Amino acid sequence: MPEIELAQRIRRLKKEKGAVILAHNYQPPPIQDIADHLGDSLDLSRLASTLPEEIIIFCGVHFMAETAAILAPDKRVILPEPSAGCPMADMITAGDLRAMQLRHPGAVTIMYVNSTAEVKALTDICCTSANVVKVIESVPADREIIFGPDRYLGAWAAGLTKRELHLWNGYCPTHQRIVPDEIRKLRREHPGAVVMVHPEVNPLIAAEADILLGTGGMIRFAGSSDAGTFIVGTELGMVYRLSKLYPGKRFIPASESAICPNMKKITLEKVARSLETLEPVIRVPGPVAEASRSAILRMTQIG
Ligand code: SF4
């Protein structure tokens, strides 16, 4: 079915079923275009709990839909493609974290929201790329900290807070596709462009950047900056999002190959099918949901 007809079918089904479509900033352009709300994973999950609709079609990856289900336990949260996972979130299991906690008894566990519900359930405080510094600073100086799964986000925040962290060795494969030479070449081609990169990149890329920001931060920064051209060091979907928001400005991907294959598993066909069947639902078992909710809420109390 042509894209335009699929989009019409989705809009009709959405109305009939009383559903709302949430989409992450990394989603493919056709999904961004039919979404009711776009944002980063935590903003969308928070939104899920406050929206009037009972049915949430979450266009993103598994841990994001799980977080929405944790924060909105009475709603039906549907992930149109259940195999859309996050390799970084899957790099640490609950068993791995338990073993690390045994090696560092008394340490405070901070986990990036890009982690599974089982891992969050063993966590003291979650964090995002936007509030990681504040979350680390909330821990008394005499307490050790376990941080995961992203070693690059952790190392960057450790440098800013001057704290030593026990880092888990996880990373985002998509952000590792960005390489310094490409950024240098783009800088030469676009003098005056601002290089903004996501803290999930490795230190070689971070060293090339003018500013490190999460996706929400990039949106705010690009909107308020006087600059007209930006080199964007994160997943490619963000370039579409920024270009649509600020058509008068120019956004250039730091790498055309920074594509998250899992984010791209969501298609219009799958969204339409999910609206027809109201499946597959993402469910988080009661005790896991309760414990992981506490770790997320502790983070929101900090900032
Ligand atoms: S871009 Fe990286 S961190 Fe985000 S979902 Fe894909 S693999 Fe996970």
Side-chain angles (χ1 to χ4, degrees):
M1 191 185 281
E3 217 170 78
I4 193 153
E5 280 177 38
L6 261 174
Q8 279 166 357
R9 189 161 137 220
I10 287 169
R11 285 195 188 95
R12 182 177 44 77
L13 281 164
K14 201 175 61 173
K15 223 172 163 188
E16 271 172 36
K17 308 271 176 156
V20 64
I21 300 177
L22 309 185
H24 189 266
N25 294 321
Y26 295 163
Q27 282 292 291
I31 301 292
Q32 292 198 26
D33 290 345
I34 49 111
D36 296 299
H37 302 278
L38 285 152
D40 63 26
S41 62
L42 194 67
D43 286 346
L44 293 176
S45 297
R46 281 205 199 113
L47 199 61
S49 63
T50 58
L51 289 168
E53 289 86 356
E54 296 298 317
I55 297 163
I56 315 278
I57 306 291
F58 203 114
C59 301
V61 295
H62 197 272
F63 80 83
M64 297 178 180
E66 255 186 358
T67 309
I70 290 164
L71 293 181
D74 300 331
K75 306 219 170 171
R76 192 176 182 93
V77 179
I78 296 163
L79 179 64
E81 173 48 67
S83 76
C86 167
M88 173 162 70
D90 294 337
M91 283 176 191
I92 185 166
T93 65
D96 294 330
L97 179 54
R98 238 181 260 117
M100 203 174 178
Q101 288 169 330
L102 285 174
R103 286 199 299 279
H104 303 286
V108 173
T109 299
I110 300 177
M111 285 286 134
Y112 192 20
V113 284
N114 297 33
S115 51
T116 63
E118 286 79 12
V119 164
K120 285 189 181 82
L122 297 174
T123 294
D124 294 304
I125 322 171
C126 285
C127 75
T128 67
S129 54
N131 63 23
V132 57
V133 168
K134 264 193 181 174
V135 170
I136 291 173
E137 283 173 342
S138 76
V139 177
D142 59 348
R143 298 286 301 276
E144 289 182 64
I145 297 174
I146 291 170
F147 187 95
D150 187 353
R151 68 173 187 245
Y152 295 125
L153 178 69
W156 171 68
L160 291 176
T161 55
K162 310 268 182 289
R163 296 287 292 264
E164 267 186 42
L165 309 180
H166 300 294
L167 294 175
W168 187 256
N169 194 16
Y171 61 91
C172 164
T174 297
H175 282 87
Q176 305 324 307
R177 295 203 183 111
I178 304 169
V179 294
D181 280 355
E182 267 188 88
I183 295 190
R184 285 185 209 128
K185 184 171 163 276
L186 288 167
R187 263 205 203 274
R188 282 195 300 275
E189 289 168 5
H190 306 281
V194 176
V195 178
M196 51 183 188
V197 306
H198 196 282
E200 285 174 22
V201 298
N202 67 54
L204 294 176
I205 298 299
E208 297 292 329
D210 295 311
I211 189 162
L212 272 77
L213 293 163
T215 56
M218 284 185 185
I219 289 171
R220 285 186 294 277
F221 178 76
S224 61
S225 166
D226 292 336
T229 306
F230 300 83
I231 295 165
V232 184
T234 189
E235 210 276 344
L236 207 57
M238 194 60 195
V239 172
Y240 182 75
R241 172 93 166 105
L242 287 163
S243 305
K244 238 183 124 176
L245 274 172
Y246 310 117
K249 299 192 178 195
R250 187 161 179 213
F251 298 95
I252 301 160
S255 170
E256 293 282 354
S257 58
I259 296 172
C260 176
N262 283 282
M263 283 283 178
K264 285 7 184 196
K265 282 184 179 174
I266 310 290
T267 61
L268 289 177
E269 285 85 354
K270 289 175 190 174
V271 172
R273 201 184 315 134
S274 283
L275 279 164
E276 273 158 6
T277 61
L278 298 185
E279 295 283 350
V281 180
I282 300 300
R283 292 191 174 88
V284 182
V288 172
E290 217 168 285
S292 48
R293 193 178 309 124
S294 303
I296 298 167
L297 293 180
R298 260 177 238 126
M299 165 185 75
T300 55
Q301 282 154 11
I302 292 166

